[in-house]
Amino acid sequence: MVQPRILKFGGTSVADAAAVERVTGVVRGHGGPRPVVVVSALAGATDALLAAADAAACGEPAGTEPSVQSLLERHSNIAQRLVRPEARDALLAGFEAARREILQLLGRIAHEPDGRPALRDEIASYGERLSASLLTAVLAGAGVAARYVDSRHCLTTDATHGRANPLMPLCVERTLAILTPLLDDGLVPVLGGYIAATADGITTTLGRGGSDYSAALVGAALDAQEIQIWTDVSGVLTADPRVVPGARTVASLSYAEAAELAYFGAKVLHPKTIQPAMDCAIPVRICNSRAPLDPGTVVTAAGEVRPGGVKAIAHKGRVTILQITSTRMLGAYGFLRALFEVFDRHRTAVDVVTTSEVSVSLTVDDTASLDGIVADLRRLGTVTLEPDRAIVCVVGEGLRTTPGIAARVFATVGDINVSLISQGASRVNLTFVVEEARVREAVCRLHQAFFEPARSVA
Ligand code: ADP
Ligand code: ASP
Ligand code: MG
């Protein structure tokens, strides 16, 4: 049987009528077998919905009406321009029903503190439900046999609202059951990304930027031929283009390289996207919906080494370092387990870890439970905090084999204070922490040193 191909479009790719038209062109012209479309909410829609939910939770539901109204108008304006008249009325009636439902949910959120996380997800889910129904109608009008599919019926998760974890066997079973008959009939399913549901049908979300992850989950469930992530840049670039305007496309990455880059700040891929693709050996291709002919980046198991060793640099700000010092660590066992159990209990991920004889330094970016974490850690030793830090991550399969990269990296940022270094854990990255105020400078200098040889400072 011909394996399907997943086409995922991010928020900027459907930001307005011109962008949605480009998406239509990509879907019509993609030329691959059995396409399945996964789409994000319109750019800014999730921010607007979550801001409304938070304002309503503070007792201001009426004040949120204009923002909900203008969000629905953005959808209606695109529909007016791109949806055929015969399909438009039904779609606009659906938008109006959604507006009323959102306002109703916003009215409840202040009075139901216990239900707030679930209500927040339910409210946020309208972003992708609206964009997917809009795109379905536009595609249908352009001659694509598109069918809206409620992704909450396909992707099943636990009840961790805001960052739910997929229950993979159920995702596979339900996605296959719903999508296979459609694909067999020659239809093009269109699903909203980011949203899912518990086994009992309660709406959940996969975390901000999670539509990439949805595409990977659907791709894994269908054993797709390829997962394409269509965004607003031509692939994974050598650095964040908002920091390094001259960053350029990396033609190919291994799964390990892409996972490290995504995890350490390359926003172009949600950090969880690579795992399902890697588990099923499905290539992930990152393409530009504004420049569809650009080759973009392909991510596969193959670990091609770039001369010089480094493929890209990622960075991630708003990180806090915690250092725990205790002489009880000396020669003891069980100490690290006790230490990491604290983070487990507070459901907080640790990013970078280093240890010495009597101390452990580590970084977290989620500080929601920091007070509780610090209180628990104080039972194990002395705790110091360094807020306002940033992680820099230099990535390349070549780090395994090229001598001298670390020396070059640290010579390049020699006058910037480095507080924590980790190399060797994954063998494709060198990670270190600097003050947030100097991270842009560090990334720009490293980019010059490794990717702009004519102006190299190393
Ligand atoms: P989408 O809406 O398509 O999901 P995102 O905004 O989530 O798009 O991700 C694309 C953005 O990621 C780019 O516009 C770019 O600013 C940012 N980005 C950060 N680091 C990188 C990188 N290394 N390569 C490409 N883009 C990056
Ligand atoms: N719409 C969601 C967000 O803004 C998911 C995504 O865009 O991937 O976070
Ligand atoms: Mg994204």
Side-chain angles (χ1 to χ4, degrees):
M1 200 197 36
V2 189
Q3 294 164 289
R5 186 181 281 181
I6 314 300
L7 312 178
K8 179 263 168 178
F9 298 94
T12 44
S13 300
V14 288
D16 52 30
V20 174
E21 264 186 312
R22 284 195 292 270
V23 166
T24 309
V26 171
V27 175
R28 286 177 58 165
H30 85 107
R34 295 156 69 92
V36 174
V37 173
V38 175
V39 65
S40 292
L42 270 54
T46 311
D47 287 338
L49 288 164
L50 289 176
D54 293 340
C58 297
E60 299 282 343
T64 62
E65 273 182 41
S67 81
V68 175
Q69 180 67 28
S70 87
L71 181 64
L72 270 302
E73 274 167 17
R74 273 181 74 195
H75 290 78
S76 309
N77 290 342
I78 298 175
Q80 296 288 1
R81 293 200 34 201
L82 301 182
V83 175
R84 282 178 185 262
E86 58 274 22
R88 206 182 293 149
D89 285 349
L91 188 68
L92 294 180
F95 291 170
E96 177 49 27
R99 191 183 68 84
R100 283 198 304 270
E101 287 160 21
I102 296 169
L103 292 178
Q104 228 171 38
L105 292 163
L106 289 168
R108 281 172 52 196
I109 201 163
H111 312 291
E112 298 179 35
D114 292 345
R116 210 164 275 168
L119 281 168
R120 242 177 146 253
D121 273 354
E122 185 71 32
I123 291 165
S125 75
Y126 279 88
E128 270 70 11
R129 287 154 65 184
L130 290 165
S131 65
S133 49
L134 173 62
L135 183 59
T136 308
V138 175
L139 287 171
V144 176
R147 278 293 179 281
Y148 175 81
V149 173
D150 189 334
S151 30
R152 296 173 297 174
H153 299 156
C154 295
L155 299 183
T156 310
T157 66
D158 65 11
T160 314
H161 288 287
R163 49 173 178 183
N165 303 294
L167 306 173
M168 212 46 204
L170 280 175
C171 290
V172 174
E173 187 188 311
R174 293 181 177 184
T175 303
L176 281 172
I178 294 173
L179 298 191
T180 311
L182 299 180
L183 291 166
D184 287 347
D185 284 348
L187 299 170
V188 177
V190 179
L191 294 85
Y194 174 60
I195 62 176
T198 63
D200 308 335
I202 309 292
T203 301
T204 56
T205 58
L206 300 176
R208 295 305 308 271
S211 296
D212 301 330
Y213 191 28
S214 301
L217 294 169
V218 171
L222 296 177
D223 193 19
Q225 184 190 84
E226 185 168 276
I227 298 161
Q228 295 183 352
I229 306 289
W230 289 84
T231 183
D232 61 349
V233 284
S234 294
V236 177
L237 308 181
T238 44
D240 186 334
R242 293 165 297 184
V243 172
V244 181
R248 40 181 204 269
T249 302
V250 183
S252 68
L253 289 168
S254 66
Y255 289 124
E257 289 173 328
E260 296 290 347
L261 289 168
Y263 194 72
F264 288 113
K267 186 180 172 235
V268 64
L269 279 179
H270 183 274
K272 293 184 181 166
T273 311
I274 295 299
Q275 191 66 49
M278 191 170 87
D279 291 345
C280 304
I282 303 169
V284 178
R285 192 178 292 278
I286 297 97
C287 312
N288 189 345
S289 60
R290 295 171 206 242
L293 299 179
D294 282 4
T297 301
V298 65
V299 184
T300 61
E304 184 199 326
V305 174
R306 176 183 177 267
V310 175
K311 290 256 192 84
I313 303 155
H315 71 282
K316 172 162 140 176
R318 277 185 277 172
V319 163
T320 299
I321 299 181
L322 287 107
Q323 187 177 56
I324 304 95
T325 306
S326 168
T327 44
R328 279 166 52 200
M329 259 181 92
L330 262 181
Y333 52 85
F335 186 87
L336 286 178
R337 182 174 49 78
L339 191 145
F340 284 110
E341 266 171 9
V342 171
F343 292 90
D344 197 18
R345 252 195 323 276
H346 291 278
R347 302 173 73 93
T348 298
V350 169
D351 290 335
V352 185
V353 186
T354 58
T355 64
S356 75
E357 278 295 299
V358 291
S359 64
V360 177
S361 288
L362 44 82
T363 67
V364 294
D365 66 355
D366 175 2
T367 51
S369 309
L370 198 58
D371 292 347
I373 291 172
V374 170
D376 286 358
L377 289 175
R378 291 222 156 101
R379 296 197 189 107
L380 300 174
T382 314
V383 182
T384 52
L385 289 184
E386 292 177 40
D388 304 322
R389 304 289 131 151
I391 296 175
V392 179
C393 181
V394 175
V395 171
E397 290 284 346
L399 264 72
R400 299 176 202 259
T401 47
T402 317
I405 292 182
R408 231 178 129 195
V409 166
F410 292 116
T412 307
V413 295
D415 59 328
I416 297 179
N417 190 32
V418 171
S419 29
L420 207 148
I421 301 172
S422 155
Q423 181 176 20
S426 84
R427 292 167 62 212
V428 302
N429 77 353
L430 165 59
T431 306
F432 58 94
V433 179
V434 297
E435 277 174 38
E436 174 125 44
R438 300 202 69 184
V439 69
R440 295 173 79 92
E441 185 188 349
V443 171
C444 287
R445 278 208 235 156
L446 288 167
H447 195 269
Q448 260 185 26
F450 284 94
F451 299 102
E452 302 162 42
R455 291 189 291 133
S456 172
V457 293

